[in-house]
Amino acid sequence: MLICAYHTGMRRGEILKLTWDRVDLKAGLIRLKEADTKTGEPRSIPIGQELSEVLRRLPIALDPQGQRVPYVFTRNGQPMKSIREVFAPVCRDASIAQFVFHDLRHTAVTNMRRAGVDALTAMKITGHKTMAVFKRYNTIDEPDLLAARQRVDSYMEQNSHQNSHRGETTPSQSHVTP
């Protein structure tokens, strides 16, 4: 369940209520219907390789009559109602403080951006309707700033190299005299 939130940015309620008929492992998509989402709009969420493997390994839960339980995430054959009793100890055991399940949604948005997924596509996946809300979920920290510096340095080095072959100068090579 945690990996589902971490990779897809799905809301906790969407995950807890997820049924197998919404999971299409062949197509690699979770297809939520209007009734499944907070916004009341259907959306398709891509299933990455790691999540696909997790979903394939999940046991199929059966009810007392031996019928397949439609929910993906169950406990003792019943759909899960909450994950608090599991989530807090997992965080504590991993020495992660002040972390709530919803933080995984922020992580998913940030990871999509870092992977190069454009903002509109990421918004479609996560169900964010406005750029303002989406931006609140996108965390930019020092590693992002350092990566940006590396990209600019690489660009400048490549651009400088190309210009020197054409006999052009870059601002760093030109001299301005007062």
Side-chain angles (χ1 to χ4, degrees):
M1 179 178 307
L2 298 177
I3 198 164
C4 196
Y6 180 75
H7 284 276
T8 67
M10 289 174 65
R11 294 175 178 93
R12 181 182 59 226
E14 294 169 342
I15 296 168
L16 290 174
K17 295 175 186 173
L18 184 63
T19 55
W20 284 110
D21 64 327
R22 305 293 196 258
V23 178
D24 185 344
L25 291 172
K26 275 189 180 174
L29 292 168
I30 295 171
R31 293 187 180 99
L32 299 179
K33 295 186 178 183
E34 298 90 355
D36 302 326
T37 68
K38 177 182 174 182
T39 60
E41 293 184 10
R43 73 177 199 275
S44 295
I45 299 132
I47 301 171
Q49 183 177 351
E50 187 176 8
L51 178 55
S52 178
E53 289 302 315
V54 168
L55 291 170
R56 288 178 198 282
R57 288 192 314 259
L58 281 178
I60 302 298
L62 302 176
D63 67 18
Q65 291 76 36
Q67 299 296 313
R68 182 179 180 177
V69 174
Y71 294 95
V72 174
F73 301 104
T74 61
R75 175 178 285 156
N76 300 322
Q78 298 297 315
M80 294 184 73
K81 303 277 189 237
S82 172
I83 59 156
R84 284 193 176 135
E85 62 277 356
V86 175
F87 190 74
V90 167
C91 288
R92 186 177 55 251
D93 292 348
S95 300
I96 300 172
Q98 298 179 355
F99 193 79
V100 296
F101 189 84
H102 192 74
D103 291 334
L104 294 169
R105 194 159 152 78
H106 291 262
T107 302
V109 168
T110 300
N111 286 341
M112 281 188 250
R113 185 217 5 114
R114 287 177 177 163
V117 176
D118 68 273
L120 295 177
T121 302
M123 288 173 65
K124 186 80 169 166
I125 292 168
T126 60
H128 288 111
K129 286 187 161 192
T130 67
M131 186 59 75
V133 173
F134 178 77
K135 284 180 178 180
R136 288 198 310 246
Y137 282 77
N138 183 16
T139 303
I140 298 174
D141 52 19
E142 285 186 4
D144 295 308
L145 302 175
L146 295 173
R149 185 202 66 214
Q150 283 182 310
R151 287 192 297 274
V152 171
D153 286 349
S154 294
Y155 170 80
M156 295 304 291
E157 183 178 320
Q158 181 181 7
N159 193 33
S160 174
H161 181 69
Q162 289 173 350
N163 288 341
S164 66
H165 284 299
R166 295 188 299 229
E168 299 173 9
T169 60
T170 63
S172 63
Q173 295 171 324
S174 62
H175 299 285
V176 178
T177 53

